[in-house]
Amino acid sequence: MNNLKGKHIVLGITGSIAAYKACYIIRGLVKRGAEVQTVITPAGREFITPVTLSTLSSNPVITEFFSSRDGSWHSHVDLGLWADAMLVAPATASTIGKMANGIADNMLVTTYLSAKEQVFVAPAMDLDMFRHPSTQRNLDTLRAAGDIIIEPAAGELASHLIGKGRMEEPDNIILRLEEYFAQKEGDMRGKTVLITVGPTHEKIDPVRFIGNYSTGKMGMALADECMSRGAKVILIAGPVTAAPRFTPAVREDVESAEQMYQATMKYIAEADIAIMTAAVADYRPEDPVTEKIKREKKESMMLELVQNKDIAAAVGRFKQTSEKPLVTVGFALETSDGFVNAQDKLARKNLDYIVMNSLQDAGAGFGTDTNKVTIFSATDEQTFPLKSKAEVAEDIINTIVEN
Ligand code: CTP
């Protein structure tokens, strides 16, 4: 779900070299359907022209209380009321200081003081200024006032010479706004969703495994859909190449079906909804050897396989005995007799829904960005056209939420 659609965002820009990045923020917000009203400080205008900003946002840029052209009065109170959120990015030490101390000598700070909704602040300055006790005290004052300070994650800093104080990347800033609206108004708030995703790798020897072509794209799209609607996601991921945009509350990376089973059972009691998208290997080599298997002179060789646990079926059994209601969703990737097989799996694994995709449909299946699905419940079936995996995820979650 795109929870920025139709949102009113006041973007405050100050006099930092990072001001050009505000263009990317505006572009990203507008692309997601938000309406952006830019307020810039006099120092900010030294770094970026209002013409650029108004072109990107399709709105005039507010720089002063009075427009020098027509003398019209810009009301900070109106802006504060209009906004669903205010974002100050980049925020210099000077503006942060004015915000913290109520020094309302420009339109940006007066708007801040009148803002009714959440304010986000993305500091941008050099390390010494950022570390200074006065800057830190001002940031603490803003935090105490309920503002959200957006900084790059600590892990990323080590690799950056500029280090702390550098403004967070525009995409991540936008993500933080999306997370905020998800938590504030998402229709899955308070729900916990466990999702299995990706293939499993079953070891043959230290360098070889049995696997499949699953990339995890569909599962990650579902994880993002749930998080964009405010759900807490527990992601149990096989060896995937795909990644979610939002950060799951819990992520367990596993390799084999057995490990995926263990991780799923560890968290299943917390879940309100379990979605099993993983392409779990049905069999594994009985005894993976510890030494690399040599070719030697064998003309052929046999691998003895044993059956893995069925995670979805185990979740279905757990559901029968658990006191807490649990909605279970499975996937069925079929190559033939899809409808019969999917309905059979629904019953056999005690699932509430099964999402069938067929390898016979072009654009469906592993690795593609699109999918074509039919969603079965015990009493209903609904076939959807070919769509992006993000849209398919939205259809699946809508079906669950509506029921
Ligand atoms: N599944 C699982 N654990 C397994 C096998 C499958 O959790 N060991 C889940 C999948 O994540 C999917 C559903 O069960 O949600 C159906 O997977 P699929 O491989 O189609 O089902 P199988 O029971 O393996 O049936 P078959 O291979 O005979 O088609």
Side-chain angles (χ1 to χ4, degrees):
M1 197 185 104
N2 173 9
N3 56 37
L4 282 174
K5 196 166 180 199
K7 289 292 186 307
H8 294 172
I9 311 292
V10 170
L11 174 63
I13 300 171
T14 72
S16 155
I17 191 68
Y20 75 94
K21 289 194 178 172
C23 296
Y24 297 97
I25 298 175
I26 296 172
R27 205 173 60 178
L29 289 171
V30 168
K31 205 175 98 191
R32 286 172 180 77
E35 207 182 313
V36 181
Q37 179 61 66
T38 312
V39 187
I40 192 164
T41 62
R45 292 176 68 176
E46 304 292 322
F47 289 85
I48 189 155
T49 75
V51 176
T52 309
L53 300 169
S54 65
T55 306
L56 285 168
S57 65
S58 310
N59 272 324
V61 174
I62 299 171
T63 53
E64 280 141 53
F65 299 102
F66 286 98
S67 163
S68 51
R69 289 245 178 78
D70 56 14
S72 66
W73 167 250
H74 292 136
S75 167
H76 52 92
V77 178
D78 287 349
L79 257 188
L81 286 174
W82 176 83
D84 293 310
M86 180 175 185
L87 165 66
V88 185
T92 56
S94 163
T95 291
I96 288 168
K98 287 181 184 178
M99 288 163 71
N101 294 287
I103 302 170
D105 68 347
N106 64 37
M107 189 63 182
L108 190 154
V109 181
T110 45
T111 304
Y112 166 71
L113 294 175
S114 316
K116 295 269 180 292
E117 297 290 347
Q118 183 65 51
V119 177
F120 297 82
V121 180
M125 64 198 74
D126 72 44
L127 184 57
D128 291 328
M129 287 177 85
F130 186 79
R131 274 196 191 140
H132 197 281
S134 129
T135 307
Q136 288 302 317
R137 193 184 56 227
N138 288 334
L139 284 171
D140 284 342
T141 303
L142 296 187
R143 282 189 195 98
D147 300 345
I148 295 174
I149 313 299
I150 303 178
E151 292 175 63
E156 290 171 29
L157 292 169
S159 62
H160 277 87
L161 291 176
I162 307 162
K164 232 171 153 56
R166 177 179 63 95
M167 191 174 85
E168 176 60 297
E169 290 309 320
D171 282 349
N172 292 339
I173 291 176
I174 291 169
L175 210 55
R176 292 291 295 273
L177 265 66
E178 291 181 72
E179 278 168 357
Y180 164 74
F181 286 115
Q183 291 306 319
K184 188 177 177 217
E185 49 200 43
D187 60 0
M188 294 182 86
R189 270 174 305 159
K191 297 283 178 221
T192 299
V193 187
L194 182 145
I195 304 176
T196 69
V197 55
T200 63
H201 287 179
E202 310 300 325
K203 254 200 177 84
I204 299 171
D205 71 10
V207 296
R208 301 179 181 94
F209 59 82
I210 297 174
N212 59 65
Y213 294 117
S214 167
T215 56
K217 279 184 183 168
M218 192 62 239
M220 295 307 181
L222 277 158
D224 278 331
E225 178 63 19
C226 293
M227 289 187 274
S228 76
R229 295 165 83 143
K232 174 184 163 185
V233 166
I234 299 171
L235 195 67
I236 314 290
V240 283
T241 46
R245 282 182 70 229
F246 297 100
T247 308
V250 176
R251 176 172 175 152
E252 294 258 328
D253 285 289
V254 298
E255 201 182 314
S256 66
E258 178 59 28
Q259 290 167 351
M260 188 175 275
Y261 169 82
Q262 296 296 344
T264 302
M265 293 336 258
K266 180 171 149 197
Y267 290 104
I268 193 63
E270 294 177 33
D272 300 293
I273 303 169
I275 310 180
M276 276 76 64
T277 71
V280 185
D282 290 327
Y283 292 89
R284 67 173 184 276
E286 188 162 24
D287 303 299
V289 291
T290 48
E291 298 284 325
K292 185 181 165 203
I293 300 171
K294 292 283 187 199
R295 176 153 50 150
E296 291 165 348
K297 289 196 176 71
K298 281 185 209 152
E299 278 293 314
S300 66
M301 68 175 290
M302 292 283 291
L303 267 181
E304 188 72 28
L305 303 180
V306 292
Q307 223 180 79
N308 279 325
K309 290 177 185 124
D310 188 326
I311 302 166
V315 168
R317 282 194 299 275
F318 173 86
K319 175 186 160 76
Q320 283 177 322
T321 55
S322 94
E323 290 146 35
K324 185 172 158 176
L326 174 66
V327 176
T328 55
V329 185
F331 269 68
L333 178 64
E334 304 292 347
T335 50
S336 62
D337 296 327
F339 284 75
V340 176
N341 284 334
Q343 270 157 334
D344 170 59
K345 277 173 200 171
L346 183 82
R348 188 157 44 86
K349 302 191 187 211
N350 188 28
L351 299 170
D352 295 299
Y353 300 94
I354 196 144
V355 182
M356 186 195 80
N357 41 176
S358 171
L359 278 185
Q360 284 169 342
D361 290 317
F366 290 157
T368 58
D369 290 317
T370 52
N371 209 355
K372 185 177 183 317
V373 303
T374 301
I375 304 177
F376 293 91
S377 67
T379 54
D380 202 17
E381 75 175 67
Q382 203 182 352
T383 299
F384 295 86
L386 185 74
K387 294 184 179 193
S388 72
K389 284 188 172 167
E391 290 167 319
V392 172
E394 196 166 347
D395 289 337
I396 294 168
I397 299 301
N398 281 343
T399 305
I400 298 170
V401 169
E402 279 159 21
N403 296 318

mmCIF file of all heavy atoms in Angstrom, residues 11-23 38-53 61-64 88-92 94-95 98 106-108:
data_model
loop_
_atom_site.group_PDB
_atom_site.id
_atom_site.type_symbol
_atom_site.label_atom_id
_atom_site.label_comp_id
_atom_site.label_asym_id
_atom_site.label_seq_id
_atom_site.Cartn_x
_atom_site.Cartn_y
_atom_site.Cartn_z
ATOM 1 N N LEU A 11 7.867 20.633 3.510
ATOM 2 C CA LEU A 11 9.301 20.343 3.527
ATOM 3 C C LEU A 11 10.065 21.634 3.805
ATOM 4 O O LEU A 11 9.983 22.593 3.027
ATOM 5 C CB LEU A 11 9.733 19.752 2.176
ATOM 6 C CG LEU A 11 11.244 19.538 2.002
ATOM 7 C CD1 LEU A 11 11.779 18.514 3.014
ATOM 8 C CD2 LEU A 11 11.573 19.085 0.588
ATOM 9 N N GLY A 12 10.778 21.660 4.919
ATOM 10 C CA GLY A 12 11.588 22.823 5.279
ATOM 11 C C GLY A 12 13.032 22.588 4.869
ATOM 12 O O GLY A 12 13.608 21.545 5.175
ATOM 13 N N ILE A 13 13.594 23.555 4.121
ATOM 14 C CA ILE A 13 14.967 23.403 3.630
ATOM 15 C C ILE A 13 15.826 24.528 4.212
ATOM 16 O O ILE A 13 15.416 25.696 4.208
ATOM 17 C CB ILE A 13 14.999 23.457 2.085
ATOM 18 C CG1 ILE A 13 14.132 22.326 1.518
ATOM 19 C CG2 ILE A 13 16.436 23.355 1.562
ATOM 20 C CD1 ILE A 13 13.923 22.429 0.014
ATOM 21 N N THR A 14 17.011 24.165 4.707
ATOM 22 C CA THR A 14 17.878 25.164 5.333
ATOM 23 C C THR A 14 19.218 25.232 4.592
ATOM 24 O O THR A 14 19.450 24.485 3.643
ATOM 25 C CB THR A 14 18.104 24.834 6.825
ATOM 26 O OG1 THR A 14 18.970 23.703 6.914
ATOM 27 C CG2 THR A 14 16.795 24.525 7.528
ATOM 28 N N GLY A 15 20.109 26.125 5.066
ATOM 29 C CA GLY A 15 21.330 26.438 4.337
ATOM 30 C C GLY A 15 22.451 25.432 4.531
ATOM 31 O O GLY A 15 23.446 25.694 5.201
ATOM 32 N N SER A 16 22.306 24.285 3.904
ATOM 33 C CA SER A 16 23.334 23.248 3.985
ATOM 34 C C SER A 16 23.704 22.810 2.577
ATOM 35 O O SER A 16 22.893 22.891 1.653
ATOM 36 C CB SER A 16 22.791 22.033 4.753
ATOM 37 O OG SER A 16 23.482 20.855 4.381
ATOM 38 N N ILE A 17 24.914 22.305 2.439
ATOM 39 C CA ILE A 17 25.358 21.788 1.152
ATOM 40 C C ILE A 17 24.468 20.618 0.714
ATOM 41 O O ILE A 17 24.361 20.317 -0.472
ATOM 42 C CB ILE A 17 26.861 21.392 1.229
ATOM 43 C CG1 ILE A 17 27.430 21.113 -0.149
ATOM 44 C CG2 ILE A 17 27.093 20.211 2.141
ATOM 45 C CD1 ILE A 17 27.531 22.337 -1.015
ATOM 46 N N ALA A 18 23.793 19.988 1.696
ATOM 47 C CA ALA A 18 22.897 18.864 1.363
ATOM 48 C C ALA A 18 21.557 19.344 0.814
ATOM 49 O O ALA A 18 20.687 18.525 0.500
ATOM 50 C CB ALA A 18 22.678 17.984 2.596
ATOM 51 N N ALA A 19 21.390 20.666 0.660
ATOM 52 C CA ALA A 19 20.080 21.188 0.194
ATOM 53 C C ALA A 19 19.678 20.595 -1.156
ATOM 54 O O ALA A 19 18.482 20.391 -1.422
ATOM 55 C CB ALA A 19 20.113 22.710 0.122
ATOM 56 N N TYR A 20 20.667 20.293 -2.000
ATOM 57 C CA TYR A 20 20.311 19.721 -3.315
ATOM 58 C C TYR A 20 19.579 18.396 -3.160
ATOM 59 O O TYR A 20 18.778 18.010 -4.019
ATOM 60 C CB TYR A 20 21.560 19.565 -4.198
ATOM 61 C CG TYR A 20 22.453 18.410 -3.823
ATOM 62 C CD1 TYR A 20 22.318 17.167 -4.440
ATOM 63 C CD2 TYR A 20 23.426 18.546 -2.836
ATOM 64 C CE1 TYR A 20 23.133 16.094 -4.096
ATOM 65 C CE2 TYR A 20 24.241 17.483 -2.471
ATOM 66 C CZ TYR A 20 24.090 16.259 -3.107
ATOM 67 O OH TYR A 20 24.883 15.207 -2.751
ATOM 68 N N LYS A 21 19.859 17.696 -2.044
ATOM 69 C CA LYS A 21 19.184 16.402 -1.839
ATOM 70 C C LYS A 21 17.692 16.572 -1.582
ATOM 71 O O LYS A 21 16.921 15.613 -1.714
ATOM 72 C CB LYS A 21 19.829 15.655 -0.670
ATOM 73 C CG LYS A 21 21.213 15.132 -0.995
ATOM 74 C CD LYS A 21 21.671 14.134 0.044
ATOM 75 C CE LYS A 21 23.033 13.578 -0.316
ATOM 76 N NZ LYS A 21 23.575 12.753 0.783
ATOM 77 N N ALA A 22 17.302 17.792 -1.203
ATOM 78 C CA ALA A 22 15.874 18.056 -1.016
ATOM 79 C C ALA A 22 15.121 17.825 -2.323
ATOM 80 O O ALA A 22 13.950 17.442 -2.314
ATOM 81 C CB ALA A 22 15.657 19.478 -0.511
ATOM 82 N N CYS A 23 15.806 18.032 -3.455
ATOM 83 C CA CYS A 23 15.169 17.782 -4.760
ATOM 84 C C CYS A 23 14.749 16.322 -4.882
ATOM 85 O O CYS A 23 13.671 16.009 -5.385
ATOM 86 C CB CYS A 23 16.132 18.117 -5.902
ATOM 87 S SG CYS A 23 16.565 19.847 -5.970
ATOM 88 N N THR A 38 6.968 23.573 -0.051
ATOM 89 C CA THR A 38 8.334 23.819 0.415
ATOM 90 C C THR A 38 8.449 25.180 1.101
ATOM 91 O O THR A 38 7.924 26.175 0.613
ATOM 92 C CB THR A 38 9.295 23.782 -0.789
ATOM 93 O OG1 THR A 38 9.012 22.617 -1.557
ATOM 94 C CG2 THR A 38 10.726 23.732 -0.338
ATOM 95 N N VAL A 39 9.149 25.172 2.225
ATOM 96 C CA VAL A 39 9.487 26.418 2.920
ATOM 97 C C VAL A 39 10.999 26.455 3.026
ATOM 98 O O VAL A 39 11.608 25.481 3.476
ATOM 99 C CB VAL A 39 8.911 26.442 4.350
ATOM 100 C CG1 VAL A 39 9.131 27.815 4.985
ATOM 101 C CG2 VAL A 39 7.450 26.088 4.358
ATOM 102 N N ILE A 40 11.595 27.559 2.611
ATOM 103 C CA ILE A 40 13.056 27.595 2.614
ATOM 104 C C ILE A 40 13.540 28.785 3.440
ATOM 105 O O ILE A 40 12.896 29.838 3.462
ATOM 106 C CB ILE A 40 13.592 27.626 1.153
ATOM 107 C CG1 ILE A 40 15.087 27.366 1.102
ATOM 108 C CG2 ILE A 40 13.219 28.906 0.437
ATOM 109 C CD1 ILE A 40 15.597 27.009 -0.300
ATOM 110 N N THR A 41 14.648 28.612 4.130
ATOM 111 C CA THR A 41 15.203 29.726 4.908
ATOM 112 C C THR A 41 16.017 30.619 3.963
ATOM 113 O O THR A 41 16.431 30.179 2.881
ATOM 114 C CB THR A 41 16.140 29.228 6.034
ATOM 115 O OG1 THR A 41 17.237 28.537 5.431
ATOM 116 C CG2 THR A 41 15.417 28.302 7.000
ATOM 117 N N PRO A 42 16.288 31.866 4.395
ATOM 118 C CA PRO A 42 17.124 32.731 3.555
ATOM 119 C C PRO A 42 18.469 32.070 3.252
ATOM 120 O O PRO A 42 18.934 32.123 2.103
ATOM 121 C CB PRO A 42 17.292 33.989 4.413
ATOM 122 C CG PRO A 42 16.059 34.024 5.273
ATOM 123 C CD PRO A 42 15.725 32.591 5.554
ATOM 124 N N ALA A 43 19.083 31.403 4.216
ATOM 125 C CA ALA A 43 20.368 30.744 3.953
ATOM 126 C C ALA A 43 20.204 29.592 2.970
ATOM 127 O O ALA A 43 21.084 29.326 2.148
ATOM 128 C CB ALA A 43 20.977 30.238 5.268
ATOM 129 N N GLY A 44 19.055 28.913 3.045
ATOM 130 C CA GLY A 44 18.788 27.807 2.128
ATOM 131 C C GLY A 44 18.801 28.269 0.683
ATOM 132 O O GLY A 44 19.243 27.539 -0.214
ATOM 133 N N ARG A 45 18.328 29.492 0.466
ATOM 134 C CA ARG A 45 18.267 30.031 -0.905
ATOM 135 C C ARG A 45 19.644 30.243 -1.510
ATOM 136 O O ARG A 45 19.770 30.367 -2.727
ATOM 137 C CB ARG A 45 17.509 31.359 -0.910
ATOM 138 C CG ARG A 45 16.048 31.170 -0.605
ATOM 139 C CD ARG A 45 15.344 32.503 -0.523
ATOM 140 N NE ARG A 45 15.288 33.169 -1.814
ATOM 141 C CZ ARG A 45 14.657 34.313 -2.019
ATOM 142 N NH1 ARG A 45 14.062 34.913 -1.014
ATOM 143 N NH2 ARG A 45 14.633 34.861 -3.210
ATOM 144 N N GLU A 46 20.667 30.313 -0.651
ATOM 145 C CA GLU A 46 22.038 30.433 -1.167
ATOM 146 C C GLU A 46 22.489 29.125 -1.811
ATOM 147 O O GLU A 46 23.442 29.086 -2.574
ATOM 148 C CB GLU A 46 23.021 30.785 -0.032
ATOM 149 C CG GLU A 46 22.683 32.054 0.747
ATOM 150 C CD GLU A 46 22.843 33.297 -0.111
ATOM 151 O OE1 GLU A 46 23.788 33.342 -0.919
ATOM 152 O OE2 GLU A 46 21.998 34.213 0.020
ATOM 153 N N PHE A 47 21.821 28.030 -1.441
ATOM 154 C CA PHE A 47 22.264 26.714 -1.912
ATOM 155 C C PHE A 47 21.387 26.150 -3.026
ATOM 156 O O PHE A 47 21.829 25.317 -3.798
ATOM 157 C CB PHE A 47 22.292 25.721 -0.741
ATOM 158 C CG PHE A 47 23.392 25.988 0.228
ATOM 159 C CD1 PHE A 47 23.218 26.907 1.263
ATOM 160 C CD2 PHE A 47 24.623 25.361 0.097
ATOM 161 C CE1 PHE A 47 24.240 27.165 2.158
ATOM 162 C CE2 PHE A 47 25.648 25.614 0.989
ATOM 163 C CZ PHE A 47 25.465 26.529 2.021
ATOM 164 N N ILE A 48 20.132 26.559 -3.064
ATOM 165 C CA ILE A 48 19.247 26.002 -4.085
ATOM 166 C C ILE A 48 18.182 27.034 -4.435
ATOM 167 O O ILE A 48 17.712 27.764 -3.554
ATOM 168 C CB ILE A 48 18.621 24.662 -3.613
ATOM 169 C CG1 ILE A 48 17.896 23.981 -4.759
ATOM 170 C CG2 ILE A 48 17.715 24.815 -2.405
ATOM 171 C CD1 ILE A 48 17.790 22.490 -4.588
ATOM 172 N N THR A 49 17.828 27.107 -5.712
ATOM 173 C CA THR A 49 16.905 28.168 -6.097
ATOM 174 C C THR A 49 15.457 27.720 -5.933
ATOM 175 O O THR A 49 15.127 26.563 -6.202
ATOM 176 C CB THR A 49 17.090 28.601 -7.572
ATOM 177 O OG1 THR A 49 16.529 27.582 -8.395
ATOM 178 C CG2 THR A 49 18.539 28.821 -7.913
ATOM 179 N N PRO A 50 14.600 28.643 -5.511
ATOM 180 C CA PRO A 50 13.175 28.338 -5.389
ATOM 181 C C PRO A 50 12.570 27.850 -6.700
ATOM 182 O O PRO A 50 11.628 27.048 -6.679
ATOM 183 C CB PRO A 50 12.571 29.671 -4.956
ATOM 184 C CG PRO A 50 13.678 30.360 -4.230
ATOM 185 C CD PRO A 50 14.929 29.964 -4.961
ATOM 186 N N VAL A 51 13.128 28.284 -7.834
ATOM 187 C CA VAL A 51 12.572 27.858 -9.121
ATOM 188 C C VAL A 51 12.673 26.338 -9.271
ATOM 189 O O VAL A 51 11.717 25.667 -9.673
ATOM 190 C CB VAL A 51 13.307 28.555 -10.299
ATOM 191 C CG1 VAL A 51 12.783 28.028 -11.633
ATOM 192 C CG2 VAL A 51 13.136 30.060 -10.219
ATOM 193 N N THR A 52 13.839 25.800 -8.932
ATOM 194 C CA THR A 52 14.020 24.339 -8.994
ATOM 195 C C THR A 52 12.984 23.647 -8.104
ATOM 196 O O THR A 52 12.339 22.680 -8.518
ATOM 197 C CB THR A 52 15.438 23.961 -8.492
ATOM 198 O OG1 THR A 52 16.375 24.761 -9.180
ATOM 199 C CG2 THR A 52 15.734 22.499 -8.698
ATOM 200 N N LEU A 53 12.859 24.148 -6.896
ATOM 201 C CA LEU A 53 11.977 23.488 -5.921
ATOM 202 C C LEU A 53 10.512 23.591 -6.318
ATOM 203 O O LEU A 53 9.760 22.618 -6.182
ATOM 204 C CB LEU A 53 12.186 24.107 -4.532
ATOM 205 C CG LEU A 53 13.616 23.975 -3.990
ATOM 206 C CD1 LEU A 53 13.802 24.841 -2.755
ATOM 207 C CD2 LEU A 53 13.933 22.514 -3.676
ATOM 208 N N VAL A 61 7.249 28.176 -3.811
ATOM 209 C CA VAL A 61 8.078 27.987 -2.618
ATOM 210 C C VAL A 61 7.882 29.178 -1.695
ATOM 211 O O VAL A 61 7.881 30.324 -2.139
ATOM 212 C CB VAL A 61 9.560 27.864 -3.025
ATOM 213 C CG1 VAL A 61 10.455 27.805 -1.803
ATOM 214 C CG2 VAL A 61 9.758 26.642 -3.892
ATOM 215 N N ILE A 62 7.705 28.881 -0.431
ATOM 216 C CA ILE A 62 7.506 29.965 0.529
ATOM 217 C C ILE A 62 8.852 30.285 1.176
ATOM 218 O O ILE A 62 9.507 29.414 1.736
ATOM 219 C CB ILE A 62 6.466 29.555 1.576
ATOM 220 C CG1 ILE A 62 5.139 29.266 0.870
ATOM 221 C CG2 ILE A 62 6.308 30.648 2.619
ATOM 222 C CD1 ILE A 62 4.093 28.650 1.744
ATOM 223 N N THR A 63 9.257 31.540 1.036
ATOM 224 C CA THR A 63 10.557 31.897 1.600
ATOM 225 C C THR A 63 10.425 32.919 2.719
ATOM 226 O O THR A 63 11.172 32.890 3.673
ATOM 227 C CB THR A 63 11.471 32.479 0.505
ATOM 228 O OG1 THR A 63 10.784 33.540 -0.145
ATOM 229 C CG2 THR A 63 11.849 31.417 -0.499
ATOM 230 N N GLU A 64 9.486 33.832 2.571
ATOM 231 C CA GLU A 64 9.347 34.869 3.586
ATOM 232 C C GLU A 64 7.895 35.040 3.955
ATOM 233 O O GLU A 64 7.012 34.460 3.344
ATOM 234 C CB GLU A 64 9.917 36.189 3.061
ATOM 235 C CG GLU A 64 11.439 36.237 3.159
ATOM 236 C CD GLU A 64 12.064 36.901 1.952
ATOM 237 O OE1 GLU A 64 11.640 38.023 1.660
ATOM 238 O OE2 GLU A 64 12.920 36.289 1.307
ATOM 239 N N VAL A 88 11.970 18.653 8.094
ATOM 240 C CA VAL A 88 13.028 19.638 7.882
ATOM 241 C C VAL A 88 14.271 18.879 7.417
ATOM 242 O O VAL A 88 14.869 18.111 8.177
ATOM 243 C CB VAL A 88 13.330 20.447 9.165
ATOM 244 C CG1 VAL A 88 14.351 21.541 8.874
ATOM 245 C CG2 VAL A 88 12.040 21.058 9.722
ATOM 246 N N ALA A 89 14.618 19.042 6.140
ATOM 247 C CA ALA A 89 15.724 18.279 5.559
ATOM 248 C C ALA A 89 16.303 19.034 4.373
ATOM 249 O O ALA A 89 15.582 19.256 3.407
ATOM 250 C CB ALA A 89 15.225 16.902 5.112
ATOM 251 N N PRO A 90 17.550 19.418 4.423
ATOM 252 C CA PRO A 90 18.483 19.266 5.545
ATOM 253 C C PRO A 90 18.209 20.283 6.651
ATOM 254 O O PRO A 90 17.733 21.382 6.372
ATOM 255 C CB PRO A 90 19.837 19.548 4.885
ATOM 256 C CG PRO A 90 19.517 20.497 3.770
ATOM 257 C CD PRO A 90 18.174 20.085 3.254
ATOM 258 N N ALA A 91 18.520 19.885 7.884
ATOM 259 C CA ALA A 91 18.388 20.789 9.032
ATOM 260 C C ALA A 91 19.782 21.149 9.540
ATOM 261 O O ALA A 91 20.530 20.266 9.964
ATOM 262 C CB ALA A 91 17.580 20.107 10.141
ATOM 263 N N THR A 92 20.132 22.417 9.462
ATOM 264 C CA THR A 92 21.457 22.854 9.951
ATOM 265 C C THR A 92 21.442 22.999 11.475
ATOM 266 O O THR A 92 20.375 23.059 12.100
ATOM 267 C CB THR A 92 21.815 24.225 9.364
ATOM 268 O OG1 THR A 92 20.766 25.141 9.709
ATOM 269 C CG2 THR A 92 21.973 24.161 7.854
ATOM 270 N N SER A 94 22.138 25.609 13.020
ATOM 271 C CA SER A 94 21.503 26.889 13.313
ATOM 272 C C SER A 94 19.982 26.772 13.369
ATOM 273 O O SER A 94 19.345 27.239 14.321
ATOM 274 C CB SER A 94 21.940 27.897 12.238
ATOM 275 O OG SER A 94 21.088 29.000 12.238
ATOM 276 N N THR A 95 19.387 26.132 12.373
ATOM 277 C CA THR A 95 17.922 25.984 12.382
ATOM 278 C C THR A 95 17.465 25.089 13.519
ATOM 279 O O THR A 95 16.453 25.364 14.168
ATOM 280 C CB THR A 95 17.435 25.451 11.009
ATOM 281 O OG1 THR A 95 17.634 26.472 10.035
ATOM 282 C CG2 THR A 95 15.966 25.078 11.050
ATOM 283 N N LYS A 98 17.379 27.192 16.503
ATOM 284 C CA LYS A 98 16.219 28.103 16.518
ATOM 285 C C LYS A 98 14.927 27.348 16.842
ATOM 286 O O LYS A 98 14.079 27.828 17.590
ATOM 287 C CB LYS A 98 16.072 28.792 15.158
ATOM 288 C CG LYS A 98 17.127 29.864 14.909
ATOM 289 C CD LYS A 98 16.902 30.517 13.551
ATOM 290 C CE LYS A 98 18.014 31.519 13.265
ATOM 291 N NZ LYS A 98 17.838 32.129 11.932
ATOM 292 N N ASN A 106 12.174 33.364 10.983
ATOM 293 C CA ASN A 106 11.919 33.096 9.561
ATOM 294 C C ASN A 106 10.683 32.212 9.416
ATOM 295 O O ASN A 106 10.136 31.703 10.405
ATOM 296 C CB ASN A 106 13.157 32.490 8.869
ATOM 297 C CG ASN A 106 13.535 31.132 9.431
ATOM 298 O OD1 ASN A 106 12.677 30.327 9.785
ATOM 299 N ND2 ASN A 106 14.839 30.875 9.527
ATOM 300 N N MET A 107 10.261 32.072 8.180
ATOM 301 C CA MET A 107 9.008 31.361 7.909
ATOM 302 C C MET A 107 9.099 29.883 8.305
ATOM 303 O O MET A 107 8.124 29.287 8.761
ATOM 304 C CB MET A 107 8.691 31.514 6.411
ATOM 305 C CG MET A 107 7.339 31.038 6.006
ATOM 306 S SD MET A 107 6.006 31.976 6.774
ATOM 307 C CE MET A 107 4.613 31.086 6.100
ATOM 308 N N LEU A 108 10.286 29.298 8.135
ATOM 309 C CA LEU A 108 10.426 27.872 8.454
ATOM 310 C C LEU A 108 10.202 27.639 9.953
ATOM 311 O O LEU A 108 9.445 26.744 10.350
ATOM 312 C CB LEU A 108 11.817 27.378 8.030
ATOM 313 C CG LEU A 108 12.030 25.860 8.076
ATOM 314 C CD1 LEU A 108 13.107 25.449 7.080
ATOM 315 C CD2 LEU A 108 12.378 25.339 9.450
#
